[in-house]
Amino acid sequence: MLRAKIIGTGSYLPKKVMTNHDLEKLVDTSDEWIMTRTGIRERRIADKKEASSDLGIKAAREALANAGLKASDLELILVATATPDMIFPSTAAYVQHGLGAGNAAAMDISAVCTGFIFGLSIAEQYIKTGRYKTILVVGTEIMSRILDWTDRKTCVLFGDGAGAAIIQGSEDESGILSTHIYTDGSYADFLLAPGSGTRHGYGSAAQGDKSNCIHMKGNETFKVAVNFMSKVAREALESNGLASEDIDLFIPHQANQRIIEAIAKKLGVPSEKVFMNLHKYGNTSAASVPIALDEALRENRIKRGDLVLIVAFGGGLTWGASLIRW
Ligand code: ACO
């Protein structure tokens, strides 16, 4: 059976930088508190004219160029986002049109920060069955539009950005060894944007309504995140007969430095094998893992034959891991 392989990546970060010092002017916080508790120094903020599809299109164009492919080669587009352009049509439909990828079916994935790994898992199945040969997976978010900028417990954590990957079948040993995804809806109230659907009606942040902003139980989320991510990481290794010593690069969801360090410690992965860029971008939700993967490749942190472990965790709750032989 074919193995699915990432053959090109791309990312896009909006130009506007918001530092912790900028946030000190908005809420009662400090650079010192944010750095110590999260590891985040600054984040990017999308322009008012930009929607999530605009960011995703830029990341996808770069991924296509990297893979040496044209938009018309794409057969399926999966867009993971918690901040869609609108309820419908899908953000994926806008990405498809913006790229000129008229041969591709396109759909959104709603798994918040784990969305990119959910997307990889779906892409992997289509490649393995031979149904599609070339698939684009995008994670794109404008979290700044669903933040309550008066709530210091959440507004300091998130940022905007997009990452993308092109997936094809592999002719050799390289590719995704396995992907493992989970959901537990009993934790739905840990992390949610309640006023953004049919349960509580549609609030509009643009009109000062905060019901559709992120509501989060930070401490509870922290503990569960560490447990679930380390468990699924171990499962990915064990199901391939591998151990944490075999990992060349560990790319976790960039939510909080302390969460990342706790997982790395539980797994026994040394800090030099852990990729972190959250100091620059904060938590970009579904975009976090593909942006980090793209940066790791650009910085030559991944070579042919390396074993890469990616892990994420998000609202739902959802969590997942993918083990990749590069
Ligand atoms: N600046 C200054 N003080 C603050 C801030 C802030 N930005 N935010 C909270 N505080 C205060 C609190 O009010 C509290 O004060 P009190 O003791 O007087 O009540 C104190 O700091 C400690 O607050 P805690 O919430 O206990 O701080 P903690 O060390 O747990 O850090 C944090 C909070 C950063 C949110 C942490 O719990 C965390 O990272 N949780 C996980 C969140 C996460 O990763 N969410 C996303 C995952 S899924 C996804 O990505 C969508």
Side-chain angles (χ1 to χ4, degrees):
M1 203 188 271
L2 266 183
R3 202 172 254 180
K5 179 175 179 172
I6 296 175
I7 60 153
T9 60
S11 59
Y12 172 75
L13 280 310
K15 292 204 171 35
K16 186 178 170 189
V17 174
M18 181 184 262
T19 65
N20 291 346
H21 294 296
D22 295 328
L23 279 164
E24 286 170 356
K25 293 171 203 148
L26 291 179
V27 285
D28 180 14
T29 191
S30 65
D31 175 51
E32 201 262 329
W33 192 96
I34 303 171
M35 274 304 288
T36 318
R37 302 293 181 112
T38 73
I40 301 164
R41 189 177 298 282
E42 56 189 43
R43 68 287 293 140
R44 301 297 179 91
I45 305 292
D47 188 83
K48 278 199 183 85
K49 290 189 215 115
E50 286 178 312
S52 290
S53 66
D54 299 319
L55 276 56
I57 288 165
K58 287 179 177 152
R61 281 199 187 119
E62 208 177 82
L64 279 167
N66 236 305
L69 294 176
K70 303 184 295 296
S72 56
D73 295 322
L74 296 173
E75 294 171 320
L76 180 66
I77 297 174
L78 301 165
V79 175
T81 185
T83 50
D85 288 19
M86 52 192 83
I87 298 290
F88 73 88
S90 67
T91 303
Y94 287 103
V95 170
Q96 186 239 35
H97 181 63
L99 289 174
N103 299 323
M107 60 177 142
D108 283 3
I109 296 165
S110 176
V112 199
C113 306
T114 324
F116 180 78
I117 296 184
F118 272 58
L120 271 190
S121 163
I122 297 168
E124 197 189 349
Q125 308 315 311
Y126 276 118
I127 296 288
K128 280 182 171 170
T129 59
R131 179 67 181 85
Y132 294 119
K133 289 190 175 58
T134 308
I135 301 176
L136 165 68
V137 184
V138 177
T140 183
E141 303 280 14
I142 302 189
M143 300 304 280
S144 62
R145 302 269 164 82
I146 59 162
L147 290 174
D148 174 355
W149 289 101
T150 64
D151 176 16
R152 69 178 182 175
K153 290 187 174 174
T154 51
C155 75
V156 303
L157 303 176
F158 297 92
D160 305 337
I166 308 286
I167 323 292
Q168 278 191 343
S170 169
E171 311 267 307
D172 52 38
E173 289 304 296
S174 62
I176 298 170
L177 303 185
S178 62
T179 302
H180 308 254
I181 54 171
Y182 290 95
T183 303
D184 188 341
S186 67
Y187 293 103
D189 68 337
F190 273 29
L191 197 66
L192 69 169
S196 53
T198 51
R199 175 69 61 195
H200 299 291
Y202 297 93
S204 168
Q207 284 151 21
D209 183 340
K210 288 173 184 163
S211 67
N212 63 348
C213 291
I214 293 179
H215 291 56
M216 184 179 73
K217 294 184 179 173
N219 284 112
E220 292 89 333
T221 305
F222 191 112
K223 286 175 207 141
V224 182
V226 172
N227 280 335
F228 286 178
M229 279 196 277
S230 39
K231 211 169 141 199
V232 76
R234 250 189 226 113
E235 180 187 321
L237 288 165
E238 281 164 14
S239 65
N240 289 286
L242 294 162
S244 52
E245 300 80 64
D246 299 314
I247 298 170
D248 294 295
L249 192 65
F250 176 45
I251 305 183
H253 171 44
Q254 307 287 307
N256 184 315
Q257 187 175 333
R258 289 187 297 143
I259 293 180
I260 294 173
E261 285 168 356
I263 301 164
K265 195 171 163 202
K266 268 184 166 237
L267 291 175
V269 178
S271 58
E272 63 273 16
K273 289 188 175 179
V274 180
F275 189 85
M276 272 199 262
N277 63 3
L278 87 169
H279 56 289
K280 296 189 285 186
Y281 310 132
N283 179 348
T284 56
S285 185
S288 141
V289 167
I291 292 172
L293 181 61
D294 185 52
E295 278 202 5
L297 285 162
R298 277 165 209 278
E299 291 172 16
N300 295 319
R301 296 277 303 269
I302 304 172
K303 335 179 273 305
R304 199 174 159 73
D306 275 359
L307 188 69
V308 178
L309 176 65
I310 61 177
V311 184
F313 175 88
L317 294 176
T318 56
W319 64 102
S322 189
L323 196 61
I324 306 166
R325 177 69 68 192
W326 216 265

